[in-house]
Amino acid sequence: MERLKDKRVLITGGTSGMGEAFAKKFAEEGAEVIIVGRNKKNGLRIVNEIQGKSGNADFMECDVTDMKSIKELKENFEKKYLSLDILVNNAGILLTNSLENIQEDEWIKVFDTNIHSVMRITQAFIELIEQSRGNILSNTSIEGLQSLVRGKANYAYCASKAAAIKFTQQLALNYTPKGIRVNCLCPGVTETPFFTNRDFTRFCDAIPMGRVAKPEEIANAALFLVSDEASYVSGAVLTVDGAASLK
């Protein structure tokens, strides 16, 4: 199927993990994918893999925590492209620490990546999304849900993801009347390079489904939300977590 045929998608944090899975899945469905990130080597690798399967992809380097870099990204994008249909705010980092050991620079780094970049990238590209009557997807986490408090050292991560969820809902409230759908995806633990400890079995007891997610499974849910199949879905907070948020 080509559920995203003739759609242009920009994905932040698109050079690994879920972002990479999104890029490949969307390209398979006919989208022109612009991968945004700091890792040029990884970005170009993904572009080559997509193009090798007759997909359409491009890479644009950007540090989403830096305003100057975001400004350059927008300028470079507008020089090359006339429109944007879908914006996926996916960039994120995880730093954990006890309250006593939290360093302010670490706290700021997490918030700059996980929520400040969402606001800044959305602000930079909202006009193009309005013109196309497109849609916006924020990839957050079940760790930001009000009903879930689990990881005891996840102060900055949980707080930043909760902020991203509320920011996305505020966007939906204000821009749905303008014809823009805005949704939020909340994955559970997913097998990505996000985790330095690769023993994912340690999470399984907390997940009713008994396993962590594959990036492709999160990408399938993202595909639904950005496609026309979700034409009446705006303001949604979709959990994709094997029922982990219910425990």
Side-chain angles (χ1 to χ4, degrees):
M1 296 178 65
E2 291 191 314
R3 284 173 279 187
L4 298 181
K5 185 179 180 180
D6 300 326
K7 301 293 185 182
R8 182 173 291 124
V9 186
L10 187 147
I11 305 171
T12 66
T15 60
S16 67
M18 283 184 263
E20 177 176 350
F22 292 172
K24 291 178 177 178
K25 175 62 68 173
F26 295 173
E28 286 175 8
E29 293 289 336
E32 179 180 13
V33 177
I34 292 86
I35 298 164
V36 173
R38 291 177 296 185
N39 192 324
K40 185 175 182 180
K41 181 179 179 181
N42 262 8
L44 293 178
R45 171 185 60 80
I46 298 167
V47 167
N48 289 334
E49 289 178 12
I50 290 172
Q51 291 177 343
K53 295 182 178 180
S54 300
N56 196 346
D58 192 7
F59 171 74
M60 289 191 169
E61 193 170 356
C62 177
D63 178 353
V64 296
T65 68
D66 182 80
M67 282 296 297
K68 181 181 178 182
S69 187
I70 291 174
K71 182 180 178 182
E72 290 174 353
L73 170 67
K74 183 183 179 183
E75 290 173 351
N76 291 335
F77 183 92
E78 291 183 328
K79 286 177 184 176
K80 195 168 186 179
Y81 302 105
L82 298 175
S83 64
L84 179 64
D85 301 290
I86 301 166
L87 172 63
V88 180
N89 288 305
N90 172 71
I93 59 171
L94 170 65
L95 297 176
T96 60
N97 225 328
S98 64
L99 175 63
E100 294 79 7
N101 293 317
I102 292 174
Q103 301 298 312
E104 187 168 349
D105 60 338
E106 290 183 351
W107 181 273
I108 292 171
K109 183 177 181 180
V110 172
F111 270 74
D112 272 348
T113 306
N114 293 359
I115 177 60
H116 297 162
S117 75
V118 176
M119 181 276 290
R120 291 165 178 164
I121 290 287
T122 302
Q123 190 177 57
F125 288 95
I126 190 65
E127 186 177 350
L128 289 176
I129 295 292
E130 279 192 86
Q131 290 172 2
S132 67
R133 295 177 70 85
N135 70 81
I136 299 170
L137 177 66
S138 294
N139 190 27
T140 60
S141 171
I142 61 169
E143 295 289 341
L145 297 174
Q146 185 177 4
S147 59
L148 182 71
V149 181
R150 184 168 293 140
K152 294 182 179 180
N154 289 351
Y155 289 97
Y157 183 75
C158 291
S160 65
K161 290 300 186 178
I165 291 169
K166 298 307 294 185
F167 176 82
T168 305
Q169 290 176 318
Q170 191 74 36
L171 276 178
L173 184 65
N174 286 293
Y175 285 91
T176 300
K178 299 180 180 181
I180 299 175
R181 293 190 304 104
V182 184
N183 291 296
C184 189
L185 190 63
C186 290
V189 180
T190 306
E191 191 174 331
T192 72
F194 202 65
F195 296 94
T196 53
N197 182 347
R198 309 301 294 166
D199 178 18
F200 292 102
T201 61
R202 70 191 191 277
F203 298 110
C204 293
D205 287 346
I207 304 172
M209 198 168 282
R211 64 176 179 84
V212 303
K214 298 291 186 182
E216 295 76 18
E217 294 176 300
I218 310 302
N220 287 334
L223 172 62
F224 166 71
L225 288 175
V226 302
S227 74
D228 290 341
E229 292 177 2
S231 59
Y232 197 63
V233 181
S234 192
V237 179
L238 178 62
T239 58
V240 189
D241 64 356
S245 55
L246 301 180
K247 289 193 73 174

